[in-house]
Amino acid sequence: MFGKKKQLWSVLGLLVIVALLVSCATPTPQVIKETVVVTQPPVEITKIVAGTPVVEVVTATPAPKPAQPAIYRAAGGWTKPPAYHGSRFAPGGVGAAWWYVFEPLFYYVPATGDTIMAVAESIDAGTDTFTVKLRKDVKWHDGKPFTSKDVWATLQLRYLQKASIWNFLDKIETPDDYTVVFHWKEPTALAKPIIAGEVLCAPYHIYGKWADQVDTTVASDEEPNKSVMEDLSNYKPEFPIGTGPFKVTTVTASEMILDKFADHYHADNVHFDQVVILPWSSNEVIWAYLMAGEVYRAHPATPKDTTEAIMARQPKMKLALPSDLAQFGIGFNMRIKPFSDENFRKAIAHAIDRKKLREITYYYAGDVDKYAHNVLTSMEERWLSKDLLDSLTVYDYDPAKAESMLKELGYAKGADGNWVDPDGNPLSWEVNCPAGYSDWVLACDELASQLTEFGIPSECRPIENAVFWPQMTSGDFQVAMLWSAVWWGYAHPWRGFNRLFLGDTGKRIGCPPTLPGPDGEEVDLEELATKMGTTTDEAELKKLVETAAWIANEHMLQLPYCEKKLMEFHNYAFVEGWPDVDDPLWSLAGGGAERADVVMMVQGLLKPATK
Amino acid sequence: MLVILKRIGIALFTIFVIVSLTFFLVRKTPGDVMQAWAMDLVQTYSMTYEDALSMVQSWYSYDPHQPLLQQYITYISGLLRGDLGKSFIYKVSVNEVLVRALPWTAFVVSISLFLSFGIGILLGMAMAWKRKSFLDPLVTAYASFTGATPDYITALILLIIFAVNLHIFPLKGAYDATITPGLTWPFIKSVLMHAALPIAAYTFEHAASWALAMKGSAVGVLGEDYIMAARARGLKEGRIMIHYMGRNAILPLVTGLAISLGGMVGGSALIETIFSYPGIGWFFAEALTKRDFGLMQGLFLFLAASIIFANLLADILYSVLDPRIKLEG
Amino acid sequence: MTATTFSAEIRHFLYRSIYEPFRIVTRDKKAFAGLIILLIFLLMATIGPEIVPLDMRSNFAERFKPPSREHPLGTDYGGRDVLAMIVHGSRDVLSVAFLAALFTSLIAVTIGMIAGLEGGIVDVALSLAINAVLSIPSFPVMLILGSVFKVTNALTFGIVLSIWSWGSLARAVRSQVLSLKEREFIEAARTLGLGTFHVVFRELLPNVMPYVAINFVDTMRGAIGSSVGLMFLGLVPFSATNWGMMLNFAVRQAGAIYLPYAMSYVLSPMIAIMLLELGGVFFAHGLDELLNPRLRT
């Protein structure tokens, strides 16, 4: 046994050595003929010695440089194979390729309200209808022409997914191959953002057989729609088929490769041959990618010092900060005491240093440290008059004021410096946040220590994401870090107020159905929000928004502390032509960072950097 | 022989019990993924929250109306046919997921295990032999340091030094996507280069703990009579160290190695994240956070089976290597 | 020969495990060094927070300061003194980790010993339990636990941490017991008619303890890591002074690993944990000698 062991080891050792030798050995060159290329007039070499390589002199014509493909490198997330596929109607589809392969009829720029035409040639916004004329030179990635039937098919299938556009739509007509007419149930001022929010992803020649079976007069979870949806969710094409400037060619777990779609109607403007998307695993890795120049544009939430480190490492990197159309906020559970008392909430609002919260947790976010009116600070000027703003209570950081307000309400500070409510019970809270949002965890901890400092001992308790949101919706919390004003999708105050009064945000904090308005009369909040979405009268809209803002602020429904800005790092060392950091084009990134990229590319702005 | 068969039977029974436990356990896990998933989608696809929620709801067809017992029976009968089940969300079979992702995890983890084991036992032997030398505190300090460093930090530091700063190794992936897989040298080289950093991260983390374990075991062996006898017989120090101390001390560690191999299916999601390595870790994490019962069951089953069979193998190995041990039946 | 009583065994066990070790440790340099380190941590945990004031108010301007007289270990992302955070964190971190390791060791040794000694159906059942704990990932178990009860103090925290982590130690103990069972001195003791208590406490445990002891500090370190995970699951109250959490924030949230001047912030919790482990291992080194007299030179 002993001897055998030794033999075994020596054989193994020999094998290893042999393997190493084989792998290291360089192939012996067989060629003995050398070709020397010269660019000057040829020099005659007359000496030819036997055995030495024969030198053949050739005059060179400058060989054409092999064209280096222009590659654009970004980062994003997608479901890994084998679960990946190309249909947006089943989970695991499309992923980060979304904005590169799918296009809407036109793009809506949130910052200005302008539209940029995509597959649409022109639009005509009527009151009851919205007419879109399509371009005639659009092709799908498989070569088939794009027609109005494809728009119809996409929206039919979106009905199965209860898309909110169908809350407004009565029906869609396609009088000819290149015209689409949307018929609204009621006139709406939101037509442009609503339509711009739908990407064309279901060509009729592929998805037609399902689109034909959809019955939009019946609820989407009843027959026949239910069976159609079930059948549709089993369709898993390998890659998505869209009309966009790039199409997906390779998907692995560690990268996604898209090639330029040569038949795109703006293909001449697109100066990149390939888009390579790296997996967005976590922020620290993206920072490494940015520093290494592996990724040319990304938007990780980055603290001040790390941002400076990235900029130092890549001197040609610039940072644009478009608004992400959302605010981070603090929600109080208005169903329970003491938060049910509006005046208590107002007092506490003065005890919280919102600027510090922003500084510590998301340095580059916009400050929201004066009001709580649920209108994005970056949009304040557009929607709220100076008169209204002047009439609003300012919730500035003033602990002394908070103290006196609390005392007025009957709260007292005990000997240990902690607050006691009028019934004599000490105040002590738990602040919750979703554990997966690390910047919210930081804010949660900071808020807890601020409150403790103020005299209300508070504890930060992160909760796993899947447990957090339902728990908040069921009202099982005291204080929580929540989204405040969120205008994703439409960049319109209606979105934000809809969510606050009627939607998930309102449900979580326990927003009551009616509240006194600026003139003292009770206002039905559902009515207010709905009217905001349907009115086409600019003046009336403004008045409604101001009323809603007043209500949100004066009743201290929730306390925002910063406006999230997307930190768009873009590296001039590899790509040129980026718009200036203040250009409203960057606002297209809100809610879909790649959308901005694609629009910039298709407009011909972006090109590989000249070395 | 009979004993081994009996043990295999017990192992299968154990797996069955664990599978059943898991079946009911995963369904009791709290949390509603749809809301959380919708919240994530709104930020990438510029949808309204309601739209995202509706979309997610349309994706989730669990068929939870089927009574639990019936689901259980269907699942077990599928298992008996070798069907590990399907992901409830993505509708791909767990078998497919394993075939796709497991080889990479197995590749990296097994090489790392063998490397760190090899380095560890050599160091451990040296440490035990020369108890008063500088090697012991040095390796112990190193072990403590790598122990104190969570694996993702080691991985991140390696990424920064070797990929970002020095550009020696690639940043991510299992191989260069431009090379077609095959038994060609460029492909193999690419695979090795891409695996170098993940393997280094694993090995740095674990080599020292093997060393300490080996040292502990070896120190125990050193006190045995046969060591003293060997010394008295005048055998060379090196021979005693390797053949007498080493071979006896390594026994418990070999079983430890077998068990670690069994557990490697769990992989390390964190290292895979840092290096975007296409292993099974991503699917584990997805299954857990998305509460994908089908995927969770299938993966847990595979993990349990690996661990249990590795345990069994370790027991058998131990009894073969050390004749004093009886394999309990 | 009279059979020894249970209390006599306990007394002997205590003598062997407390008085004798103390004598040995004070003689062996390495073990002594380990002891000193552990004592320093003990001091840090007990009276440290009284000596070093902790100000958790954030001061953005003071962030990431390198070590200075004012801040011997620098400051964190919020400008707070790192040394104060480490000292204050030590109390919770060490007590929870100690309790977790204690419970883990107790459960593991008990189960492993019973399974190894008894054999038969008891062994099969206990091995099943061990395998279940080893192969079922802790994430869903912890989530379910968290929905059932809330952790409020160090004791419950330690229990929760140990509930799913005794598997590999139990397995190791069982293997060792299985191998020791067949050894001569056990046979000898049996032949001499010495009772089970004697066998367990005087023969088996002393041989099992070195492994458990060396792993104790390792288990503590694992508990510190797991406690961070539990905080992110919402099972246990969040603590920004937990060393593991400090490290997590430093790397993932603050990006301190990319900032050379913030090195002390990143390294401090790592070195604290490292020294703890080092102290434990060195101290356990002395235990080797104690329990294996042939090693004493």
Side-chain angles (χ1 to χ4, degrees), chain A residues 505-524:
Chain A
T505 314
K507 283 199 185 63
R508 289 184 186 124
I509 56 178
C511 186
T514 66
L515 281 170
D519 50 4
E521 296 275 316
E522 282 287 310
V523 176
D524 185 320

PDB file of all heavy atoms in Angstrom, chain A residues 505-524:
ATOM      1  N   THR A 505     -49.050  55.160  -1.901  1.00  0.00           N
ATOM      2  CA  THR A 505     -48.462  56.003  -0.851  1.00  0.00           C
ATOM      3  C   THR A 505     -49.524  56.404   0.158  1.00  0.00           C
ATOM      4  O   THR A 505     -49.339  56.292   1.364  1.00  0.00           O
ATOM      5  CB  THR A 505     -47.838  57.277  -1.445  1.00  0.00           C
ATOM      6  OG1 THR A 505     -47.061  56.920  -2.564  1.00  0.00           O
ATOM      7  CG2 THR A 505     -46.982  57.968  -0.428  1.00  0.00           C
ATOM      8  N   GLY A 506     -50.650  56.846  -0.355  1.00  0.00           N
ATOM      9  CA  GLY A 506     -51.729  57.278   0.524  1.00  0.00           C
ATOM     10  C   GLY A 506     -52.234  56.150   1.395  1.00  0.00           C
ATOM     11  O   GLY A 506     -52.490  56.319   2.581  1.00  0.00           O
ATOM     12  N   LYS A 507     -52.346  54.980   0.794  1.00  0.00           N
ATOM     13  CA  LYS A 507     -52.842  53.842   1.568  1.00  0.00           C
ATOM     14  C   LYS A 507     -51.887  53.549   2.708  1.00  0.00           C
ATOM     15  O   LYS A 507     -52.303  53.195   3.799  1.00  0.00           O
ATOM     16  CB  LYS A 507     -52.958  52.612   0.668  1.00  0.00           C
ATOM     17  CG  LYS A 507     -54.159  52.631  -0.241  1.00  0.00           C
ATOM     18  CD  LYS A 507     -54.469  51.217  -0.740  1.00  0.00           C
ATOM     19  CE  LYS A 507     -55.605  51.241  -1.748  1.00  0.00           C
ATOM     20  NZ  LYS A 507     -55.269  52.017  -2.969  1.00  0.00           N
ATOM     21  N   ARG A 508     -50.585  53.677   2.437  1.00  0.00           N
ATOM     22  CA  ARG A 508     -49.615  53.306   3.465  1.00  0.00           C
ATOM     23  C   ARG A 508     -49.680  54.248   4.647  1.00  0.00           C
ATOM     24  O   ARG A 508     -49.653  53.814   5.790  1.00  0.00           O
ATOM     25  CB  ARG A 508     -48.216  53.273   2.874  1.00  0.00           C
ATOM     26  CG  ARG A 508     -48.065  52.096   1.952  1.00  0.00           C
ATOM     27  CD  ARG A 508     -46.682  51.916   1.390  1.00  0.00           C
ATOM     28  NE  ARG A 508     -46.731  50.843   0.423  1.00  0.00           N
ATOM     29  CZ  ARG A 508     -46.357  50.934  -0.843  1.00  0.00           C
ATOM     30  NH1 ARG A 508     -45.855  52.066  -1.292  1.00  0.00           N
ATOM     31  NH2 ARG A 508     -46.479  49.917  -1.661  1.00  0.00           N
ATOM     32  N   ILE A 509     -49.767  55.554   4.372  1.00  0.00           N
ATOM     33  CA  ILE A 509     -49.755  56.467   5.508  1.00  0.00           C
ATOM     34  C   ILE A 509     -51.148  56.674   6.096  1.00  0.00           C
ATOM     35  O   ILE A 509     -51.310  57.304   7.131  1.00  0.00           O
ATOM     36  CB  ILE A 509     -49.150  57.836   5.139  1.00  0.00           C
ATOM     37  CG1 ILE A 509     -49.897  58.432   3.954  1.00  0.00           C
ATOM     38  CG2 ILE A 509     -47.682  57.688   4.834  1.00  0.00           C
ATOM     39  CD1 ILE A 509     -49.377  59.807   3.570  1.00  0.00           C
ATOM     40  N   GLY A 510     -52.163  56.139   5.434  1.00  0.00           N
ATOM     41  CA  GLY A 510     -53.508  56.284   5.975  1.00  0.00           C
ATOM     42  C   GLY A 510     -54.111  57.644   5.690  1.00  0.00           C
ATOM     43  O   GLY A 510     -54.668  58.284   6.580  1.00  0.00           O
ATOM     44  N   CYS A 511     -53.990  58.069   4.430  1.00  0.00           N
ATOM     45  CA  CYS A 511     -54.515  59.375   4.046  1.00  0.00           C
ATOM     46  C   CYS A 511     -56.042  59.356   4.096  1.00  0.00           C
ATOM     47  O   CYS A 511     -56.669  58.481   3.522  1.00  0.00           O
ATOM     48  CB  CYS A 511     -54.021  59.715   2.636  1.00  0.00           C
ATOM     49  SG  CYS A 511     -54.444  61.372   2.118  1.00  0.00           S
ATOM     50  N   PRO A 512     -56.656  60.324   4.773  1.00  0.00           N
ATOM     51  CA  PRO A 512     -58.119  60.331   4.864  1.00  0.00           C
ATOM     52  C   PRO A 512     -58.748  60.725   3.525  1.00  0.00           C
ATOM     53  O   PRO A 512     -58.087  61.326   2.697  1.00  0.00           O
ATOM     54  CB  PRO A 512     -58.398  61.400   5.928  1.00  0.00           C
ATOM     55  CG  PRO A 512     -57.207  62.264   5.944  1.00  0.00           C
ATOM     56  CD  PRO A 512     -56.036  61.427   5.529  1.00  0.00           C
ATOM     57  N   PRO A 513     -60.032  60.399   3.321  1.00  0.00           N
ATOM     58  CA  PRO A 513     -60.653  60.673   2.022  1.00  0.00           C
ATOM     59  C   PRO A 513     -60.945  62.150   1.777  1.00  0.00           C
ATOM     60  O   PRO A 513     -60.985  62.582   0.636  1.00  0.00           O
ATOM     61  CB  PRO A 513     -61.953  59.869   2.054  1.00  0.00           C
ATOM     62  CG  PRO A 513     -62.219  59.611   3.490  1.00  0.00           C
ATOM     63  CD  PRO A 513     -60.904  59.623   4.195  1.00  0.00           C
ATOM     64  N   THR A 514     -61.162  62.910   2.844  1.00  0.00           N
ATOM     65  CA  THR A 514     -61.411  64.335   2.643  1.00  0.00           C
ATOM     66  C   THR A 514     -60.579  65.139   3.634  1.00  0.00           C
ATOM     67  O   THR A 514     -60.238  64.668   4.716  1.00  0.00           O
ATOM     68  CB  THR A 514     -62.893  64.710   2.864  1.00  0.00           C
ATOM     69  OG1 THR A 514     -63.196  64.500   4.248  1.00  0.00           O
ATOM     70  CG2 THR A 514     -63.810  63.865   2.012  1.00  0.00           C
ATOM     71  N   LEU A 515     -60.252  66.324   3.236  1.00  0.00           N
ATOM     72  CA  LEU A 515     -59.495  67.217   4.118  1.00  0.00           C
ATOM     73  C   LEU A 515     -59.935  68.650   3.848  1.00  0.00           C
ATOM     74  O   LEU A 515     -60.327  68.978   2.729  1.00  0.00           O
ATOM     75  CB  LEU A 515     -57.996  67.084   3.846  1.00  0.00           C
ATOM     76  CG  LEU A 515     -57.301  65.866   4.461  1.00  0.00           C
ATOM     77  CD1 LEU A 515     -55.887  65.732   3.925  1.00  0.00           C
ATOM     78  CD2 LEU A 515     -57.280  65.982   5.975  1.00  0.00           C
ATOM     79  N   PRO A 516     -59.852  69.516   4.843  1.00  0.00           N
ATOM     80  CA  PRO A 516     -60.229  70.920   4.614  1.00  0.00           C
ATOM     81  C   PRO A 516     -59.266  71.585   3.638  1.00  0.00           C
ATOM     82  O   PRO A 516     -58.059  71.401   3.734  1.00  0.00           O
ATOM     83  CB  PRO A 516     -60.091  71.552   6.005  1.00  0.00           C
ATOM     84  CG  PRO A 516     -60.051  70.423   6.971  1.00  0.00           C
ATOM     85  CD  PRO A 516     -59.517  69.240   6.248  1.00  0.00           C
ATOM     86  N   GLY A 517     -59.836  72.353   2.703  1.00  0.00           N
ATOM     87  CA  GLY A 517     -59.036  73.042   1.697  1.00  0.00           C
ATOM     88  C   GLY A 517     -58.660  74.433   2.168  1.00  0.00           C
ATOM     89  O   GLY A 517     -58.897  74.809   3.310  1.00  0.00           O
ATOM     90  N   PRO A 518     -58.021  75.225   1.257  1.00  0.00           N
ATOM     91  CA  PRO A 518     -57.540  76.563   1.624  1.00  0.00           C
ATOM     92  C   PRO A 518     -58.652  77.497   2.084  1.00  0.00           C
ATOM     93  O   PRO A 518     -58.419  78.403   2.873  1.00  0.00           O
ATOM     94  CB  PRO A 518     -56.916  77.092   0.326  1.00  0.00           C
ATOM     95  CG  PRO A 518     -56.952  76.000  -0.670  1.00  0.00           C
ATOM     96  CD  PRO A 518     -57.698  74.847  -0.122  1.00  0.00           C
ATOM     97  N   ASP A 519     -59.875  77.244   1.596  1.00  0.00           N
ATOM     98  CA  ASP A 519     -60.949  78.137   2.007  1.00  0.00           C
ATOM     99  C   ASP A 519     -61.745  77.571   3.182  1.00  0.00           C
ATOM    100  O   ASP A 519     -62.784  78.084   3.548  1.00  0.00           O
ATOM    101  CB  ASP A 519     -61.871  78.415   0.822  1.00  0.00           C
ATOM    102  CG  ASP A 519     -62.292  77.117   0.148  1.00  0.00           C
ATOM    103  OD1 ASP A 519     -61.912  76.033   0.655  1.00  0.00           O
ATOM    104  OD2 ASP A 519     -63.002  77.168  -0.874  1.00  0.00           O
ATOM    105  N   GLY A 520     -61.269  76.463   3.760  1.00  0.00           N
ATOM    106  CA  GLY A 520     -61.950  75.919   4.922  1.00  0.00           C
ATOM    107  C   GLY A 520     -62.945  74.829   4.586  1.00  0.00           C
ATOM    108  O   GLY A 520     -63.372  74.075   5.461  1.00  0.00           O
ATOM    109  N   GLU A 521     -63.330  74.727   3.308  1.00  0.00           N
ATOM    110  CA  GLU A 521     -64.317  73.708   2.916  1.00  0.00           C
ATOM    111  C   GLU A 521     -63.645  72.352   2.801  1.00  0.00           C
ATOM    112  O   GLU A 521     -62.488  72.233   2.418  1.00  0.00           O
ATOM    113  CB  GLU A 521     -64.899  74.061   1.529  1.00  0.00           C
ATOM    114  CG  GLU A 521     -65.679  75.365   1.493  1.00  0.00           C
ATOM    115  CD  GLU A 521     -67.114  75.124   1.912  1.00  0.00           C
ATOM    116  OE1 GLU A 521     -67.699  74.129   1.456  1.00  0.00           O
ATOM    117  OE2 GLU A 521     -67.621  75.933   2.713  1.00  0.00           O
ATOM    118  N   GLU A 522     -64.413  71.300   3.132  1.00  0.00           N
ATOM    119  CA  GLU A 522     -63.880  69.944   2.979  1.00  0.00           C
ATOM    120  C   GLU A 522     -63.702  69.642   1.497  1.00  0.00           C
ATOM    121  O   GLU A 522     -64.601  69.893   0.706  1.00  0.00           O
ATOM    122  CB  GLU A 522     -64.833  68.903   3.574  1.00  0.00           C
ATOM    123  CG  GLU A 522     -64.790  68.795   5.093  1.00  0.00           C
ATOM    124  CD  GLU A 522     -63.541  68.119   5.618  1.00  0.00           C
ATOM    125  OE1 GLU A 522     -63.189  67.034   5.131  1.00  0.00           O
ATOM    126  OE2 GLU A 522     -62.913  68.680   6.533  1.00  0.00           O
ATOM    127  N   VAL A 523     -62.578  69.108   1.133  1.00  0.00           N
ATOM    128  CA  VAL A 523     -62.313  68.767  -0.260  1.00  0.00           C
ATOM    129  C   VAL A 523     -62.258  67.250  -0.402  1.00  0.00           C
ATOM    130  O   VAL A 523     -61.607  66.576   0.388  1.00  0.00           O
ATOM    131  CB  VAL A 523     -60.945  69.360  -0.708  1.00  0.00           C
ATOM    132  CG1 VAL A 523     -60.618  68.941  -2.122  1.00  0.00           C
ATOM    133  CG2 VAL A 523     -60.981  70.869  -0.577  1.00  0.00           C
ATOM    134  N   ASP A 524     -62.997  66.745  -1.361  1.00  0.00           N
ATOM    135  CA  ASP A 524     -62.937  65.304  -1.642  1.00  0.00           C
ATOM    136  C   ASP A 524     -61.664  65.043  -2.445  1.00  0.00           C
ATOM    137  O   ASP A 524     -61.516  65.496  -3.571  1.00  0.00           O
ATOM    138  CB  ASP A 524     -64.168  64.894  -2.450  1.00  0.00           C
ATOM    139  CG  ASP A 524     -64.222  63.392  -2.680  1.00  0.00           C
ATOM    140  OD1 ASP A 524     -63.141  62.790  -2.937  1.00  0.00           O
ATOM    141  OD2 ASP A 524     -65.299  62.831  -2.614  1.00  0.00           O
TER     142      ASP A 524
END
